[in-house]
Amino acid sequence: MSAQISVHYQTLEDTLNHFDVHPSGTFNDTACTLKLPAGDGIDEYVIASLVLLKLEIGALADVSVLIAQKGDSWFLPALVTEVGAKSRMSAVINMIQNRNAAAAPREVLLPVELAWSYAMTHFVESCGPDNGGKIKNMPEKPFAPLEVVHKELSGDTSEDRALKVTLNYTVPAGGEGGKGNGEHWVAWVGPWGTYECTKLDKSKVAEVPENMFGYVWIAVVNDDTVGLSELADVTVAGPQIDGL
């Protein structure tokens, strides 16, 4: 898998060079110290690898839409075929965890702004003062961290479906975007074509939509009327990935 990913990175570098876009001019990839989530066991490493793959798949799916709008007939197929390879990798990891190789017929699209926020929160330890971690058109800073602290299941085993989730997050001191009237919802982003919001009560508990399954991305938002492409504009905390 590492060998295939190195080819993917080379494709991205070749594309930037083709369009005369040099990463060092806008983003210094050596300016940040990277980290893995807490824990040094094999289970933690496997989970971190799976999350990274899901993060890449979601971001690539979103970027592909933007590239299609630009009419780039070379870069789009390159990205689409990379998604296929990453999907196969995630299937292998699912089987390592004794799970279904593919729980859903489609992958989950994640807006790049939320993908960047998750990466900066969970995989970046710190960045230097010289614009480290800053990328054009991304949010000024990552959204507040989001944690799933409890799941109410339909049965007595961890394999049973989640009916409700309890979240933990802190509203940023600088206030919120979107409506910002104190009401919050959970935005559920499932396999492509499934996107729904459910009300978050004062105890930070929300129901899981019936049509959500497999791995999904969730975010806390303060407006449940926007589409997926506008999700970053109303996000208060997140995203976070969870298996239902």
Side-chain angles (χ1 to χ4, degrees), residues 29-35 123-128:
D29 58 0
T30 64
C32 298
T33 302
L34 305 182
K35 66 177 180 179
F123 293 106
V124 175
E125 182 72 42
S126 61
C127 291

Side-chain angles (χ1 to χ4, degrees), residues 148 150-152 162-167 169 184-188 197-209 218-220 244:
V148 178
H150 179 72
K151 287 193 282 189
E152 180 183 315
L163 302 177
K164 294 182 179 180
V165 294
T166 303
L167 306 180
Y169 64 96
H184 290 165
W185 292 261
V186 178
W188 304 83
C197 293
T198 58
K199 194 74 169 64
L200 196 61
D201 67 20
K202 293 182 179 180
S203 299
K204 297 181 179 177
V205 176
E207 294 186 359
V208 178
I218 63 175
V220 175
L244 301 179

Side-chain angles (χ1 to χ4, degrees), residues 36-51 97:
L36 286 176
D40 55 3
I42 185 62
D43 289 338
E44 289 83 2
Y45 181 79
V46 168
I47 292 172
S49 299
L50 180 63
V51 171
Q97 296 178 306

Side-chain angles (χ1 to χ4, degrees), residues 142-186:
F143 301 113
L146 176 63
E147 182 184 10
V148 178
V149 295
H150 179 72
K151 287 193 282 189
E152 180 183 315
L153 304 178
S154 60
D156 297 326
T157 72
S158 60
E159 299 300 319
D160 288 309
R161 176 176 172 77
L163 302 177
K164 294 182 179 180
V165 294
T166 303
L167 306 180
N168 181 42
Y169 64 96
T170 301
V171 176
E176 310 173 15
K179 291 181 177 179
N181 59 7
E183 289 188 292
H184 290 165
W185 292 261
V186 178

Side-chain angles (χ1 to χ4, degrees), residues 33-211:
T33 302
L34 305 182
K35 66 177 180 179
L36 286 176
D40 55 3
I42 185 62
D43 289 338
E44 289 83 2
Y45 181 79
V46 168
I47 292 172
S49 299
L50 180 63
V51 171
L52 274 172
L53 285 168
K54 295 297 184 182
L55 192 67
E56 289 181 295
I57 290 169
L60 286 173
D62 189 36
V63 169
S64 296
V65 176
L66 303 177
I67 293 174
Q69 294 172 348
K70 298 291 185 180
D72 191 318
S73 59
W74 181 87
F75 194 29
L76 181 59
L79 289 187
V80 170
T81 52
E82 283 183 15
V83 170
K86 294 180 189 298
S87 294
R88 292 193 295 273
M89 294 177 195
S90 65
V92 170
I93 295 179
N94 285 336
M95 290 188 290
I96 291 174
Q97 296 178 306
N98 291 322
R99 296 176 178 269
N100 291 332
R106 295 188 175 112
E107 293 289 355
V108 182
L109 182 152
L110 183 67
V112 290
E113 298 90 349
L114 273 70
W116 173 85
S117 177
Y118 187 92
M120 292 297 293
T121 299
H122 294 272
F123 293 106
V124 175
E125 182 72 42
S126 61
C127 291
D130 299 330
N131 206 30
K134 297 291 184 180
I135 301 179
K136 185 179 180 181
N137 297 327
M138 290 298 104
E140 181 64 25
K141 59 183 178 180
F143 301 113
L146 176 63
E147 182 184 10
V148 178
V149 295
H150 179 72
K151 287 193 282 189
E152 180 183 315
L153 304 178
S154 60
D156 297 326
T157 72
S158 60
E159 299 300 319
D160 288 309
R161 176 176 172 77
L163 302 177
K164 294 182 179 180
V165 294
T166 303
L167 306 180
N168 181 42
Y169 64 96
T170 301
V171 176
E176 310 173 15
K179 291 181 177 179
N181 59 7
E183 289 188 292
H184 290 165
W185 292 261
V186 178
W188 304 83
V189 187
W192 185 85
T194 53
Y195 167 65
E196 189 173 339
C197 293
T198 58
K199 194 74 169 64
L200 196 61
D201 67 20
K202 293 182 179 180
S203 299
K204 297 181 179 177
V205 176
E207 294 186 359
V208 178
E210 293 184 359
N211 64 333

